[in-house]
Amino acid sequence: MAHFAKIENGIVTNVIVISNDDCGGGNFPESNPIGQAFIASLNIDGIWQQTSYSSSFRNCYASITWTFDASLGEYGEFTPPLPELVE
């Protein structure tokens, strides 16, 4: 199974699962644009980036409220939100 995170203003707002068959076998990075096209073919809007449940690429598995920064790493990375500072 392949996991894709919806990115809005750099923040993950949703994570979905699609079949590896629907994204060219699931092998990243080739699977990323194929999966994006499949998601678009379902009329699901937004910007979607593949994320790895095993954290084998893009630093870690994306979760809602996490950040996606395309300038990090070779293909962009997901990062957790910074903890709130309590005074």
Side-chain angles (χ1 to χ4, degrees), residues 21-82:
D21 293 339
D22 294 319
C23 62
N27 295 318
F28 186 83
E30 295 82 8
S31 56
N32 193 64
I34 299 168
Q36 290 168 331
F38 174 74
I39 293 166
S41 77
L42 299 175
N43 293 318
I44 301 175
D45 66 339
I47 297 169
W48 295 86
Q49 295 292 343
Q50 191 171 2
T51 185
S52 172
Y53 191 75
S54 64
S55 301
S56 61
F57 54 84
R58 292 199 165 139
N59 189 44
C60 53
Y61 181 71
S63 293
I64 293 173
T65 73
W66 288 36
T67 302
F68 179 74
D69 188 335
S71 70
L72 297 176
E74 188 173 357
Y75 301 104
E77 292 184 1
F78 294 101
T79 56
L82 295 173

